[in-house]
Amino acid sequence: MHGLQLHTSAYKTTICSTKSAAIVKHLMPVMYHALSHFYCCLGCAGLFVGHPFDTIKVRLQTEGLKGQYKGTMDCFYQMIRREGPFALYKGVTSPLFGVALINGIVFGTYGPTLRFLQDKYQKQNGQKLSLSGHYRNVFVAGAVAGFVQSFV
């Protein structure tokens, strides 16, 4: 088969032209880079959803014996009434930068590590990776990503 190349991934094996295989190989780092930005945005979105709950929790924990709030919903309504809706997001900037950085590092490390492990196995053994081997690679890639982000 002149001009055809076997393209193998963890999930499927296809035969494609040499030109398209080169394009796919060239675009993979770009796709991982774009995905790391996407995961940064997802982490930030998760922070914007969860931060108001954290703010209310901290208010309730620090009120002490004053008895200023009757409960969670009372705290929420009083914060909105007295300080406006942006009071729920006080102090969000610091965790926002941290979450974006950590998610970018984790997913920017996980994908390339997993791809490296799968490619290494296929080059050494010349066969498709078993399901248990795939799970092992996922575990190792996750451990590497967790190790790398622990320094942030």
Side-chain angles (χ1 to χ4, degrees), residues 8-148:
T8 309
S9 71
Y11 302 106
K12 63 181 181 178
T13 302
T14 57
I15 296 177
C16 57
S17 71
T18 307
K19 190 174 185 178
S20 64
I23 291 171
V24 168
K25 192 169 188 166
H26 176 70
L27 288 178
M28 289 303 282
V30 174
M31 290 172 26
Y32 279 116
H33 182 72
L35 280 175
S36 68
H37 287 297
F38 175 69
Y39 288 122
C40 283
C41 293
L42 283 181
C44 293
L47 180 68
F48 277 112
V49 169
H51 193 76
F53 297 108
D54 213 22
T55 304
I56 292 170
K57 176 192 69 151
V58 169
R59 287 277 179 108
L60 289 170
Q61 288 174 339
T62 58
E63 75 173 331
L65 299 175
K66 298 177 197 173
Q68 184 178 357
Y69 306 113
K70 296 175 187 167
T72 305
M73 292 306 292
D74 184 49
C75 179
F76 173 76
Y77 290 129
Q78 283 191 40
M79 282 178 68
I80 298 291
R81 206 174 311 124
R82 290 182 187 159
E83 304 170 50
F86 292 113
L88 297 171
Y89 293 98
K90 285 184 176 179
V92 77
T93 52
S94 177
L96 185 65
F97 289 117
V99 164
L101 181 63
I102 286 173
N103 280 353
I105 289 171
V106 166
F107 290 105
T109 305
Y110 173 80
T113 304
L114 183 60
R115 190 179 64 214
F116 169 77
L117 292 171
Q118 290 172 340
D119 289 347
K120 182 179 176 186
Y121 179 84
Q122 288 176 349
K123 285 179 184 174
Q124 285 178 349
N125 300 328
Q127 60 188 9
K128 189 176 178 182
L129 191 62
S130 68
L131 190 59
S132 63
H134 175 70
Y135 287 145
R136 182 191 65 237
N137 287 349
V138 166
F139 173 78
V140 171
V144 168
F147 177 76
V148 170

